[in-house]
Amino acid sequence: MSRPFRPARRRFLIAGAVLGGGLLIGYGLLPRRELPGDPALLPSAPGELALNAWLKIAADGRITIAVPRAEMGQGVYTALPMLVAEELDADWQRVQVEPAPLEKLYGNVTVLVDGLPLRPDDQGALPQLLRWAAGKLGLALGLSVTGGSTSVRDAWEPMRIAGASARAMLVSAAARRWGVAEGECRTQAGQVLHPASGRTLDYGVLAIEAARLDPPAAPPLKPRSEYRLLGTPAPRLDLAAKVDGSARFGLDVRLPGQLYAAIRHCPSFGGRLKSYDETALRGLPGVVKVVALDDAVAVVADGWWRAHRALAALPVEFDAGPHAALDTAAVDAALERALAVGEADVYRRQGDDPQRSLDAGTSRVIRARYRVPYLAHACLEPMNCTARVSANGCELWIPTQVPSLVRWAVARWLALDSERVTVHTTLLGGGFGRRLEVDLALQAAAIARHLPERPVQLIWSREEDLHRDVYRPAAVAELAAALDGDGLPRALRLRAASQSVVYSYTQRLLPWAALDMPQKTNAEGAAELPYAIPSLRVEHVPVELPVPVGFWRSVGHSFNAFFVESFIDELAHAAGRDPLDYRLRLLAERPRHRRVLERAAEAAGWHGAALPPGRGRGLAVHESFGSIVAQVAEIDLRDGRLRVERVVCAVDCGPVVNPDTVRAQMESGIIFGLSAALYGAITLRQGGVEQSNFPDYPLLAMADTPAIEVHILTADDAPLGGVGEVGVPPIAPAVVNAVFAATGERWRRLPLRPPA
């Protein structure tokens, strides 16, 4: 069963929401984002001068660049400064970074535009209007968000303009001092040069004079042929601090008079705190207070271990709530019912209804069903937030991907003006979408409010982290294809069912804005299917369940790539065709996809010597967040245990900022995706999560990590793509397809186990 396919109505509703939101906040009265921005926005220490809102220069020539995104290992503390430093012609050895202030100028516009339920190839007046309106709304809101592989894409223009503007001001200051034309000067490695006379001036010497000048309205940007820094493996600016231990993560926050809080939640979703006996803690050393929350209880002490041990000794009773009987079998049954009879949103319809070909009886029909479980994030830095509530307001130190939303949510909860809530974003020991939530900030503020003026650091144990995560949705999909005489799909239908991430997230944060409408993440990676298939239909049935779901690295792409690329492999083998050649045939009009696939296959020796029995190679290709990634996995099953021995990865992410970062992110995505594909599963019993710690929710160990080989294809004429998430989607189907090559068996369920 499907909802009527009414794209015009759907997009009209979206346009109304976006444009209406803009009008409600008076966007028409607001100016466009001013670049390079008011230097007064950037706090400066003695001896420093801000030339604009993005950079400041010290008298000794040190250049400090404000980074508006959270560093969680993905390399933005290096990639974004490179954008400024390239246009500025800075000496990279004298560049340092600091977090940008929480101001609208630094907001992430691209993440809002990318969130529209549009495919990249959706063109025409209405899609363009939607993107324009979302961009205007993004500028007005100025939300600081790190996610969606948007950091470099969003900063590409403003941070380059900031560097070019500052460079022009420094050149103008030097030319005035020398009494020469600006055109006679050039810049290099943090200096202005006058070649005709051999004179040079360091940027630090010129900073005072340059700061007095008006920035140019539209400074020219370098052509790519003149790049000296971009595209090179620049050393990471945060590496030294992480090696010597001086880097400050959320857990490293130490303030005068600091206390620590441990917390225990109701073990079932939707349950509440019923009672607790505080008297049981009398006399325990270091215990300061017990704080009750709606669905949890926290113990505050002078050290976290003392708080944790006291919490374990605290008699607590919870009301399990309405979902106490929920288990994995019930979730599976709900997904199966939705797949069978649920009302679906159609995300793509191309050509005739594929059901006609599937029912006609004139073609060979291939069908398959795939399933993926709930997944946790399991960031290695435990969930934490430090809060101090005083008469002046609230101050928070938190590893977060959404400092703007943290400030807004805490201000609303404490009934304060947003200006009275200060958020310090620390380094993040992993994010993966988990730190897009505001729950830790709200809990820390709620606890700290009971201890005015005292900073309280709330830390979740690993058990609480796994029990109270916001999970990657469990999903089931049914695919069917009708093959023509050449074995190619003339018709394909994909129908999937899962909870909606965006809807669930919005219900938690902004219940009034949770719209019952198609959400992009439900079908992303399937709706954009690149293969040439004449008749195509992609639909998704949204399912409501009490399990909280959230953004997980690569979001919908993480499971839709598994569905699609596993099935395409099945079609290739049903047609008696080589999986690589089959894909290349279907990608005849997708030269970038073909090039990436061919590079990965060639490097992996796809058409080389056959592997011995019990070993196999599989491949997959997937586009996400503007980048195309192909992976070839080589596996060994000779002793009955699945081992991934080698992964060859090729990536086309358009222009490359830092190849070392791209390579590291591909490796990271492959390891992250392999942990999920081989081991990851959150299961439910009695309304809650069964897994408690890494022994029953394991991550890929170093000893089991395959050799990884990354090939970067430069494409300067292509749009800029993301890299933080794009390495994850292809790895699970590549491994599954390798298993088939080795055994002749199709494993259609994650985590990977032989079919029952």
Side-chain angles (χ1 to χ4, degrees):
M1 184 177 180
S2 302
R3 301 188 190 190
F5 183 71
R6 291 178 287 180
R9 177 180 179 274
R10 179 183 76 179
R11 293 180 181 177
F12 173 78
L13 289 172
I14 299 167
V18 173
L19 290 172
L23 291 173
L24 283 172
I25 60 174
Y27 185 79
L29 302 177
L30 295 174
R32 290 183 58 82
R33 175 160 58 184
E34 294 183 4
L35 298 174
D38 185 353
L41 292 177
L42 191 59
S44 298
E48 293 180 330
L49 282 167
L51 269 61
N52 53 53
W54 302 87
L55 69 96
K56 52 192 178 183
I57 300 177
D60 62 3
R62 285 180 297 108
I63 297 169
T64 302
I65 297 173
V67 177
R69 302 291 166 258
E71 175 59 70
M72 48 189 172
Q74 82 280 37
V76 294
Y77 269 25
T78 301
L80 300 195
M82 288 177 72
L83 302 178
V84 176
E86 178 64 72
E87 296 291 347
L88 182 60
D89 276 337
D91 178 356
W92 186 249
Q93 302 302 317
R94 293 197 285 177
V95 171
Q96 58 189 31
V97 299
E98 66 180 37
L102 201 51
E103 300 283 350
K104 284 187 176 183
L105 175 75
Y106 307 103
N108 189 335
V109 176
T110 302
V111 75
L112 194 60
V113 176
D114 274 12
L116 292 171
L118 300 171
R119 299 195 308 270
D121 58 351
D122 276 340
Q123 300 303 321
L126 186 54
Q128 293 295 78
L129 171 63
L130 290 172
R131 293 185 180 103
W132 173 85
K136 296 277 265 186
L137 183 58
L139 289 171
L141 294 174
L143 296 178
S144 179
V145 179
T146 306
S149 291
T150 60
S151 293
V152 173
R153 289 188 286 147
D154 187 73
W156 179 254
E157 180 183 70
M159 296 193 77
R160 287 166 61 225
I161 290 175
S165 174
R167 175 185 173 275
M169 295 163 70
L170 290 162
V171 167
S172 181
R176 293 185 183 198
R177 180 181 288 200
W178 290 327
V180 301
E182 293 179 12
E184 297 178 24
C185 302
R186 64 184 183 89
T187 54
Q188 180 179 313
Q191 293 183 322
V192 181
L193 291 72
H194 185 241
S197 65
R199 288 176 290 182
T200 64
L201 283 171
D202 191 87
Y203 285 175
V205 174
L206 293 167
I208 294 177
E209 296 161 68
R212 298 190 183 113
L213 303 176
D214 292 329
L221 300 177
K222 289 183 182 179
R224 288 174 181 167
S225 60
E226 295 181 10
Y227 287 169
R228 299 173 184 170
L229 183 61
L230 294 181
T232 68
R236 288 187 61 145
L237 296 180
D238 57 339
L239 185 59
K242 288 179 177 177
V243 170
D244 67 22
S246 61
R248 191 167 79 157
F249 293 82
L251 284 180
D252 296 320
V253 172
R254 295 292 182 270
L255 302 167
Q258 181 170 309
L259 299 171
Y260 299 82
I263 194 166
R264 188 195 310 171
H265 297 86
C266 179
S268 58
F269 298 118
R272 315 289 287 180
L273 176 64
K274 190 173 182 180
S275 64
Y276 60 93
D277 183 6
E278 188 174 355
T279 62
L281 304 187
R282 288 176 184 168
L284 289 183
V287 174
V288 176
K289 194 169 187 62
V290 177
V291 178
L293 304 176
D294 289 342
D295 63 346
V297 61
V299 173
V300 182
D302 59 3
W304 187 81
W305 184 247
R306 283 181 165 178
H308 177 66
R309 296 300 297 163
L311 184 62
L314 181 68
V316 181
E317 186 178 359
F318 291 101
D319 178 349
H323 310 300
L326 184 71
D327 60 14
T328 296
V331 170
D332 289 348
L335 294 175
E336 291 291 345
R337 282 194 304 273
L339 196 68
V341 300
E343 187 177 8
D345 295 310
V346 180
Y347 285 81
R348 186 171 179 184
R349 185 174 67 177
Q350 180 174 295
D352 296 332
D353 186 348
Q355 201 62 42
R356 295 178 185 175
S357 296
L358 296 171
D359 294 340
T362 58
S363 303
R364 184 181 179 189
V365 175
I366 308 298
R367 300 179 188 274
R369 182 170 292 199
Y370 303 90
R371 182 181 294 279
V372 298
Y374 289 112
L375 291 176
H377 296 81
C379 303
L380 288 186
E381 180 190 11
M383 296 296 104
N384 68 90
C385 176
T386 303
R388 179 168 55 204
V389 177
S390 67
N392 296 323
C394 180
E395 196 167 6
L396 301 121
W397 293 260
I398 180 171
T400 178
Q401 296 174 242
V402 284
S404 296
L405 295 181
V406 163
R407 180 170 67 177
W408 172 81
V410 170
R412 185 181 63 166
W413 191 85
L414 292 175
L416 297 172
D417 293 334
S418 290
E419 292 73 21
R420 295 179 61 192
V421 176
T422 302
V423 179
H424 305 280
T425 302
T426 66
L427 294 173
L428 283 62
F432 315 124
R434 175 60 181 92
R435 301 187 201 268
L436 290 167
E437 304 289 328
V438 300
D439 50 350
L440 267 293
L442 291 173
Q443 286 185 343
I447 295 167
R449 189 176 65 165
H450 291 272
L451 296 151
E453 309 294 341
R454 297 288 299 273
V456 179
Q457 185 173 96
L458 170 65
I459 304 173
W460 284 16
S461 68
R462 182 61 60 188
E463 289 77 11
E464 293 301 312
D465 178 30
L466 288 180
H467 291 163
R468 301 297 289 193
D469 201 351
V470 288
Y471 307 92
R472 202 279 303 272
V476 61
E478 185 175 75
L479 290 90
L483 305 185
D484 63 18
D486 292 328
L488 300 175
R490 70 171 71 209
L492 188 149
R493 181 188 182 192
L494 184 154
R495 179 178 170 90
S498 72
Q499 292 169 258
S500 169
V501 167
V502 173
Y503 185 67
S504 181
Y505 182 80
T506 310
Q507 279 187 313
R508 289 191 294 276
L509 197 65
L510 298 167
W512 53 268
L515 301 176
D516 179 19
M517 61 193 304
Q519 308 290 350
K520 180 179 181 179
T521 56
N522 296 337
E524 61 184 359
E528 305 89 353
L529 196 70
Y531 300 109
I533 302 172
S535 176
L536 177 65
R537 184 181 181 94
V538 176
E539 58 187 38
H540 174 271
V541 182
V543 180
E544 289 204 41
L545 288 164
V547 182
V549 296
F551 297 95
W552 188 90
R553 193 174 186 179
S554 78
V555 205
H557 292 282
S558 68
F559 50 84
N560 285 315
F562 170 64
F563 300 153
V564 169
E565 282 299 292
S566 299
F567 190 62
I568 292 295
D569 218 68
E570 295 207 39
L571 299 185
H573 286 285
R577 304 278 289 274
D578 176 83
L580 171 64
D581 297 339
Y582 192 79
R583 285 174 170 83
L584 292 175
R585 174 79 179 271
L586 292 173
L587 294 168
E589 298 182 6
R590 299 280 186 149
R592 290 181 68 196
H593 289 75
R594 288 176 60 92
R595 190 167 70 113
V596 173
L597 252 180
E598 289 170 337
R599 180 64 172 276
E602 178 186 10
W606 183 265
H607 288 308
L611 295 174
R615 299 185 64 184
R617 291 191 191 96
L619 59 78
V621 61
H622 190 75
E623 180 177 1
S624 60
F625 306 98
S627 297
I628 303 165
V629 177
Q631 291 169 5
V632 177
E634 191 170 307
I635 64 99
D636 189 325
L637 261 169
R638 285 178 292 184
D639 62 359
R641 175 176 176 265
L642 174 59
R643 289 188 298 275
V644 182
E645 296 194 332
R646 182 188 183 209
V647 176
V648 177
C649 173
V651 54
D652 175 356
C653 58
V656 174
V657 173
N658 187 334
D660 274 1
T661 298
V662 175
R663 185 169 289 105
Q665 284 303 293
M666 294 306 106
E667 293 167 349
S668 166
I670 289 166
I671 293 170
F672 190 87
L674 276 177
S675 286
L678 298 177
Y679 314 121
I682 289 294
T683 56
L684 309 177
R685 189 171 68 88
Q686 296 181 349
V689 170
E690 291 186 285
Q691 287 69 32
S692 289
N693 211 311
F694 290 127
D696 52 8
Y697 193 80
L699 305 182
L700 189 70
M702 188 175 294
D704 296 320
T705 299
I708 300 174
E709 183 180 319
V710 178
H711 299 266
I712 303 170
L713 284 69
T714 56
D716 288 343
D717 57 341
L720 196 69
V723 297
E725 301 177 85
V726 301
V728 176
I731 189 60
V735 173
V736 167
N737 297 336
V739 168
F740 178 83
T743 66
E745 287 187 324
R746 281 289 170 191
W747 297 9
R748 299 189 179 99
R749 186 168 187 153
L750 298 181
L752 293 171
R753 301 288 184 273

